[in-house]
Amino acid sequence: MTSHQTTQTMKPATAAKKLGVYLEATPAEFQEGVVSRTELNTLQADPPQWLQDLRRNGPHPRPVVAAKLGVSISGLARGGVTEPLTTEQIDALKQESPEWLQQERATQAEVRKEAVRLKEKKAAQGEESGRPRS
């Protein structure tokens, strides 16, 4: 009995998300087709010019915009940013440094500090539980 392996495919939206690009800015043939796992790996390993340009200049999806600004996705929404932004627009926002952006960056820094604190606390508790009791 021979094993017949089917090709794993994904919707363009899923592939765009994995590539970190805004689907509506991709070429029509990418948006209209399906993407196989092999094609995705090829796009990641050797990106075509359109993908390089999108990653460099945008428009970028919200998760990428949030990462570039150092805030959460919900922080973007609280700041009124609901649309994809280009790299130029992101750089302009960084230069302007509006109050909401400063506040969201501070919030994000606190969240990261708390995550580190909890991780260290959990690690310390793990060490304690590993010791024999006397």
Side-chain angles (χ1 to χ4, degrees):
M1 191 169 170
T2 60
S3 67
H4 180 45
Q5 197 171 13
T6 58
T7 304
Q8 185 181 14
T9 60
M10 61 192 83
K11 295 177 182 176
T14 304
K17 191 175 196 175
K18 290 181 182 284
L19 292 169
V21 295
Y22 184 57
L23 178 63
E24 283 74 17
T26 61
E29 61 269 11
F30 181 85
Q31 292 180 36
E32 294 164 1
V34 292
V35 181
S36 72
R37 173 67 61 188
T38 306
E39 290 170 328
L40 179 68
N41 291 341
T42 302
L43 286 170
Q44 288 173 326
D46 186 25
Q49 191 61 48
W50 65 264
L51 183 54
Q52 292 175 33
D53 291 343
L54 266 181
R55 285 179 169 168
R56 186 179 319 107
N57 304 320
H60 303 287
R62 283 183 306 169
V64 174
V65 173
K68 286 179 179 268
L69 289 174
V71 299
S72 66
I73 294 172
S74 51
L76 280 180
R78 285 190 293 270
V81 178
T82 57
E83 297 297 315
L85 299 178
T86 64
T87 301
E88 191 175 296
Q89 291 170 314
I90 293 169
D91 291 342
L93 254 178
K94 286 180 182 178
Q95 288 295 317
E96 291 170 23
S97 193
E99 189 175 325
W100 72 265
L101 181 56
Q102 294 173 28
Q103 188 174 356
E104 290 300 333
R105 281 181 165 172
T107 300
Q108 192 70 5
E110 288 299 317
V111 167
R112 287 188 189 115
K113 270 194 244 176
E114 181 65 7
V116 168
R117 186 189 69 79
L118 291 174
K119 186 177 179 181
E120 288 171 351
K121 181 180 176 185
K122 188 175 181 179
Q125 287 175 342
E127 288 173 12
E128 288 176 12
S129 66
R131 292 190 193 135
R133 293 184 179 169
S134 49

